[in-house]
Amino acid sequence: MLRDNPDAAAVRIYGTNVDPAAPALAACDVGEVEPHRVNNDVYADFALDFCRRHEIDVLIPPRRLDALAGHTDAFAAAGTRLMCSSPAAISVLTSKSRTYEAARAIGVPVPDWRVVSDADGLREAVEDIARAGDTVCIKPAGEYSAFGFRILDDSPLSMRDLLAPARPLVSVNAVADALKRAADEQEKVPKFIVMPYLEGPEVSVDCLSAPDGTLLTAIPRAKQGRYRLLLDNPALISIARQLVGHFGLAYLSNVQLRHRHGRPVLLEANPRASAGIFQTAFTGVNLPWAAVRLLLGHDPGPLSALRLGGRVAVTETVTEVGPAALATAAG
């Protein structure tokens, strides 16, 4: 979408990844390996050095936002515009618990939840949530995308279960044992969220906003198997507008919703573009390029003629790629 922009501007794309074999690097003009499992200061130094060496005009970070958000001026001094919201917003939104607390305070519906980090806390949380008759799930409380998500289910397996598509199921005992074993071995244990498993379909609202958090346009997408529905639903956009405005989210962000008893409730809010933002191309608006225009101080271009209400299919394709030109990152 950046290359096929409506201004026909020539774009040269540089990418980094911790995995030198990442296919995304082959789609870049220049790829580089970035340092893995380093602290925020080391990562910020790497990013600044990368931008200086390659004379990067625009940096669009999809991760490690907490490492970069406080360095907008340093990047600007290097000639790079950083597409990032404020450190305060990122600090809240990288914690699902703090996100739910803030959203609930402004009237956005959120699920019941508990924060746990040990076996006893897990069992108590599961008992509390299950008391309402809900299926219970668990996931890391930090920014881990979908990694770590499990549905907690202690019921015996049936033949129907064995023949059905695999689901991320795990028993409460198995999770409790893992938490206890990690504690016994003095392994670092992150905080987890225990909450009801919310009804589908999951709705992802891709948002474009001004630097002050004013929502400019939003595109809700719902999953339906291999299809994505591009929804024309003002109620979902209203929730996204409320969250984006409250947190002052700038440029590209993403609000994820599911349903509880037929009502949309917040699943998470991300101060970055979603991985599925490419699906919005079928609405007739190029969100990534509009965000780049905003970041560079221009107007975002025409946004009003969204084609919503349609359905697109997510399919696999094979693309021939050449060897990525990789340089090993120092650090």
Side-chain angles (χ1 to χ4, degrees):
M1 293 174 80
L2 291 171
R3 295 189 197 279
D4 189 22
N5 64 78
D7 294 331
V11 175
R12 185 168 172 82
I13 296 177
Y14 296 71
T16 66
N17 199 286
V18 296
D19 179 6
L25 292 180
C28 299
D29 297 297
V30 176
E32 187 167 304
V33 178
E34 66 178 42
H36 188 33
R37 294 178 178 173
V38 295
N39 65 36
N40 283 351
D41 290 338
V42 172
Y43 189 82
D45 288 343
F46 158 77
L48 273 167
D49 177 66
F50 182 93
C51 290
R52 289 192 187 103
R53 285 187 287 111
H54 295 292
E55 299 181 344
I56 300 299
D57 297 307
V58 170
L59 175 59
I60 309 176
R63 60 188 177 278
R64 300 300 303 262
L65 301 180
D66 57 337
L68 303 178
H71 299 282
T72 301
D73 291 342
F75 280 100
T80 302
R81 300 289 186 95
L82 174 64
M83 188 178 291
C84 197
S85 294
S86 70
I90 289 167
S91 175
V92 173
L93 295 177
T94 50
S95 162
K96 292 182 177 65
S97 180
R98 290 199 298 271
T99 298
Y100 288 162
E101 289 170 357
R104 183 173 60 184
I106 61 172
V108 171
V110 298
D112 193 12
W113 83 94
R114 304 287 186 277
V115 179
V116 305
S117 57
D118 58 50
D120 291 339
L122 170 74
R123 295 186 190 280
E124 291 175 7
V126 170
E127 185 177 342
D128 285 346
I129 301 295
R131 193 172 290 124
D134 293 297
T135 299
V136 183
C137 65
I138 185 171
K139 57 186 177 181
E143 190 182 27
Y144 287 83
S145 187
F147 296 118
F149 169 78
R150 297 292 188 276
I151 298 171
L152 300 177
D153 188 353
D154 286 328
S155 60
L157 282 175
S158 67
M159 186 55 61
R160 181 177 180 179
D161 295 325
L162 288 174
L163 297 176
R167 302 177 71 204
L169 298 177
V170 67
S171 72
V172 175
N173 284 338
V175 178
D177 288 347
L179 291 171
K180 185 177 185 306
R181 189 162 52 251
D184 291 344
E185 296 174 0
Q186 298 185 328
E187 182 180 350
K188 183 179 179 180
V189 179
K191 292 181 179 180
F192 288 84
I193 292 279
V194 177
M195 57 183 284
Y197 179 62
L198 302 174
E199 306 159 18
E202 182 176 313
V203 177
S204 183
V205 186
D206 293 300
C207 302
L208 174 74
S209 53
D212 65 354
T214 301
L215 187 70
L216 302 177
T217 193
I219 301 172
R221 297 178 284 112
K223 294 181 179 179
Q224 187 184 68
R226 285 186 174 269
Y227 296 99
R228 299 295 182 267
L229 309 181
L230 302 171
L231 303 176
D232 186 2
N233 190 318
L236 301 177
I237 293 174
S238 177
I239 293 174
R241 176 178 286 107
Q242 192 174 0
L243 289 164
V244 169
H246 175 74
F247 291 113
L249 299 183
Y251 311 110
L252 295 175
S253 58
N254 176 256
V255 174
Q256 295 179 18
L257 307 165
R258 274 185 173 259
H259 289 79
R260 179 167 169 78
H261 305 314
R263 294 180 61 212
V265 298
L266 179 64
L267 187 61
E268 60 184 57
N270 298 304
R272 54 169 174 77
S274 70
I277 194 171
F278 66 93
Q279 297 160 16
T280 64
F282 294 91
T283 66
V285 170
N286 190 325
L287 289 182
W289 189 249
V292 168
R293 286 180 58 92
L294 278 172
L295 186 64
L296 294 177
H298 308 305
D299 68 85
L303 301 173
S304 57
L306 288 174
R307 296 195 300 270
L308 298 176
R311 183 174 69 157
V312 298
V314 178
T315 59
E316 292 181 329
T317 185
V318 177
T319 303
E320 184 178 5
V321 296
L326 292 178
T328 302

